[in-house]
Coordinates of all heavy atoms in Angstrom, one line a residue:
E631 N 1.1 -4.2 -2.6 CA 2.2 -4.0 -1.6 C 3.1 -2.9 -2.0 O 4.3 -3.0 -2.0 CB 3.0 -5.3 -1.5 CG 2.2 -6.5 -0.9 CD 3.0 -7.7 -0.5 OE1 4.0 -8.0 -1.2 OE2 2.6 -8.4 0.4
A632 N 2.5 -1.7 -2.3 CA 3.3 -0.6 -2.7 C 4.3 -0.2 -1.6 O 5.4 0.3 -1.9 CB 2.4 0.6 -2.9
Y633 N 4.0 -0.5 -0.3 CA 4.9 -0.1 0.8 C 5.5 -1.2 1.6 O 6.0 -1.1 2.7 CB 4.1 0.8 1.8 CG 3.5 2.0 1.1 CD1 2.1 2.0 0.7 CD2 4.3 3.1 0.7 CE1 1.6 3.1 0.1 CE2 3.7 4.2 0.1 CZ 2.4 4.2 -0.3 OH 1.8 5.2 -0.9
I634 N 5.4 -2.4 1.0 CA 5.8 -3.6 1.8 C 7.3 -3.6 2.2 O 7.6 -4.1 3.3 CB 5.5 -4.9 1.0 CG1 5.6 -6.1 1.9 CG2 6.5 -5.1 -0.2 CD1 4.5 -6.2 2.9
D635 N 8.2 -3.0 1.4 CA 9.6 -3.0 1.7 C 9.9 -2.3 3.0 O 11.0 -2.5 3.6 CB 10.4 -2.4 0.6 CG 10.1 -3.2 -0.7 OD1 10.3 -4.4 -0.7 OD2 9.7 -2.5 -1.7
F636 N 9.0 -1.4 3.5 CA 9.2 -0.6 4.7 C 8.5 -1.4 5.9 O 8.5 -0.8 7.0 CB 8.6 0.8 4.6 CG 9.1 1.5 3.4 CD1 8.3 1.8 2.3 CD2 10.4 2.0 3.4 CE1 8.7 2.5 1.2 CE2 10.9 2.8 2.3 CZ 10.0 3.0 1.2
A637 N 7.9 -2.5 5.6 CA 7.0 -3.1 6.6 C 7.3 -4.4 7.2 O 7.6 -4.5 8.4 CB 5.6 -3.2 5.9
G638 N 7.3 -5.5 6.4 CA 7.5 -6.8 7.0 C 7.3 -7.8 5.9 O 7.6 -7.6 4.8
R639 N 6.9 -9.0 6.3 CA 6.8 -10.1 5.4 C 5.8 -9.9 4.3 O 4.7 -9.4 4.5 CB 6.5 -11.4 6.1 CG 7.6 -11.9 6.9 CD 7.2 -13.0 7.9 NE 6.8 -14.2 7.2 CZ 6.1 -15.2 7.9 NH1 5.7 -15.1 9.1 NH2 5.8 -16.3 7.2
S640 N 6.2 -10.2 3.1 CA 5.3 -10.0 1.9 C 4.5 -11.3 1.6 O 4.9 -12.4 1.9 CB 6.3 -9.8 0.7 OG 5.5 -10.0 -0.5
A641 N 3.3 -11.0 1.0 CA 2.4 -12.1 0.6 C 3.1 -12.9 -0.5 O 2.5 -14.0 -0.9 CB 1.1 -11.6 0.2
L642 N 4.2 -12.5 -1.1 CA 4.9 -13.3 -2.1 C 5.2 -14.7 -1.6 O 5.2 -15.7 -2.3 CB 6.2 -12.6 -2.5 CG 6.1 -11.4 -3.4 CD1 7.4 -10.7 -3.5 CD2 5.6 -11.7 -4.8
E643 N 5.4 -14.8 -0.3 CA 5.7 -16.1 0.4 C 4.5 -17.1 0.2 O 4.7 -18.3 0.4 CB 5.8 -15.9 1.9 CG 7.1 -15.3 2.3 CD 7.2 -15.2 3.9 OE1 6.7 -16.2 4.5 OE2 7.6 -14.2 4.4
L644 N 3.4 -16.5 0.0 CA 2.2 -17.4 -0.1 C 1.8 -17.9 -1.5 O 0.9 -18.7 -1.7 CB 1.0 -16.7 0.5 CG 1.1 -16.1 1.9 CD1 -0.1 -15.2 2.3 CD2 1.3 -17.2 2.9

Side-chain angles (χ1 to χ4, degrees):
E631 293 191 333
Y633 304 101
I634 195 68
D635 303 303
F636 307 106
R639 286 166 68 195
S640 162
L642 286 169
E643 284 182 42
L644 304 173

